[in-house]
């Protein structure tokens, strides 16, 4: 069933687990992610990045999510990921997305506040949740979102408090040492900064740059307020590598390739779901 982000995240935040947000831009990613949710019975977020408007329109993304999501008993949220264009954000709200991320993190603080506040007023009136971002992630390898010029700007806890009070966002993405893309070295996650932000904000926090994080780092972040974790690059890297290896030895029909790719997406999504929901899965085993 299609769900609103705020409901899924608040539940995760108070119960100490995180919801996985996986980038979706073609049939294979939508289907692989929803299949993983169905098999584990754990909610997921389908993150359609504004970057992927070249692959499909907002309306097509919504139609696929609605058609596959409504066949599922597990809550599925269709979310607009990283969008700095207000017109596209408003169109996603009109189209039926359950959540939007207005990303004004590259703007001066006051302008980010002004735009995010406007998005919140409109989105909330329509029952849609809003994520925003403060700070900036650096870029790792093979990222589709980061650019090599991106440098880490850690989120400043007092500024985060001022931002959330002024805008009333439902969730805030924070920069604490993760990168967009695969890690070149061992990540240095600043749990001290995260802890300070969490103490001041008490709303679900979002971790971008989930690809390649260890289970230990993930659990450490969840314990300090992270309730949504985004994964994109690793799914793509794995699916492309597996497809390449398969094509080296087979001459499949196009339809078989698509089925395989749904399976590759599902494998990575299930791996992260198991890290993000350690606590819930352990409780359901008892
Ligand atoms: P990765 O590509 O590093 O997994 O990051 C995904 C992300 O943050 C999407 O917004």
């Amino acid at each position: 069933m299609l769900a609103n982000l705020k409901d899924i995240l608040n539940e995760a935040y108070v119960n100490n687990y995180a919801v996985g947000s996986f980038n979706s831009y073609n049939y294979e990613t939508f289907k692989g992610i929803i299949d993983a949710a169905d098999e584990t019975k754990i909610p997921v977020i389908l993150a359609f990045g504004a970057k992927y408007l070249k692959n499909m329109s907002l309306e097509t993304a919504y139609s696929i999510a609605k058609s596959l999501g409504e066949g599922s008993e597990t809550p599925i949220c269709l979310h607009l990921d990283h969008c700095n264009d207000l017109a596209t954000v408003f169109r996603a709200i009109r189209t039926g997305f359950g959540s939007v991320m207005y990303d004004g993190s590259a703007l001066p603080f006051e302008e980010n506040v002004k735009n995010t506040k406007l998005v919140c007023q409109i989105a909330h009136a329509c029952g849609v949740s809003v994520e925003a971002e403060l700070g900036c992630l650096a870029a790792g390898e093979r990222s589709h979102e980061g650019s090599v010029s991106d440098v880490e700007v850690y989120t400043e806890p007092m500024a985060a408090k001022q931002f959330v009070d002024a805008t009333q966002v439902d969730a805030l993405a924070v920069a604490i040492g993760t990168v967009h893309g695969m890690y070149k070295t061992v990540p240095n996650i600043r749990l001290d900064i995260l802890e300070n932000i969490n103490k001041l904000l008490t709303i679900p926090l979002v971790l971008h740059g989930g690809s390649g994080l260890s289970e230990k780092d993930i659990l450490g972040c969840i314990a300090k307020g992270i309730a949504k974790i985004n994964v994109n690059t690793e799914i793509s890297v794995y699916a492309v590598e597996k497809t390449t290896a398969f094509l080296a030895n087979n001459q499949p029909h196009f339809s078989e390739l698509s089925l395989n790719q749904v399976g590759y997406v599902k494998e990575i999504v299930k791996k992260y779901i198991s890290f993000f929901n350690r606590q819930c899965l352990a409780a359901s085993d008892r």
Side-chain angles (χ1 to χ4, degrees), residues 49-225:
K51 181 128 209 165
Y52 300 115
L53 281 165
K54 284 187 232 135
N55 293 72
M56 64 174 70
S57 68
L58 294 171
E59 291 74 13
T60 305
Y62 174 72
S63 299
I64 299 177
K66 183 167 157 48
S67 150
L68 297 178
E70 284 190 346
S72 165
E73 287 181 5
T74 309
I76 312 273
C77 176
L78 177 63
H79 169 77
L80 180 69
D81 190 33
H82 284 295
C83 185
N84 59 13
D85 177 47
L86 286 170
T88 304
V89 169
F90 296 142
R91 185 162 173 175
I93 294 170
R94 248 196 341 263
T95 304
F97 279 54
S99 164
V100 290
M101 176 188 188
Y102 171 67
D103 183 358
S105 58
L107 297 173
F109 182 82
E110 293 306 336
E111 210 176 330
N112 190 4
V113 167
K114 182 168 138 269
N115 291 353
T116 306
K117 188 173 170 183
L118 176 69
V119 170
C120 286
Q121 285 166 342
I122 293 172
H124 291 165
C126 302
V128 173
S129 316
V130 181
E131 172 185 339
E133 176 165 320
L134 258 197
C136 183
L137 268 62
E141 283 171 342
R142 300 180 69 172
S143 170
H144 209 201
E145 280 141 307
S147 94
V148 276
S149 57
D150 291 347
V151 286
E152 179 83 43
V153 180
Y154 293 111
T155 306
E156 209 276 296
M158 280 312 293
K161 165 90 178 127
Q162 204 187 332
F163 184 85
V164 171
D165 287 347
T167 59
Q168 297 297 305
V169 281
D170 301 292
L172 185 72
V174 293
I176 54 162
T178 55
V179 303
H180 276 132
M182 303 308 290
Y183 289 86
K184 295 174 195 159
T185 55
V186 178
N188 174 23
I189 311 291
R190 294 287 306 272
L191 290 178
D192 54 330
I193 297 180
L194 180 60
E195 184 168 18
N196 288 338
I197 297 171
N198 190 35
K199 276 187 189 145
L200 287 169
L201 264 51
T202 60
I203 64 164
L205 301 174
V206 180
L207 194 66
H208 284 244
S211 292
L213 284 182
S214 68
E215 184 174 4
K216 183 169 171 280
D217 279 336
I218 288 169
L219 294 178
C221 290
I222 292 173
K224 298 200 182 309

Side-chain angles (χ1 to χ4, degrees), residues 250-261:
N250 298 279
Q251 288 192 316
H253 188 271
F254 203 21
S255 61
E256 188 186 350
L257 209 49
S258 168
L259 286 178
N260 287 351
Q261 288 168 349

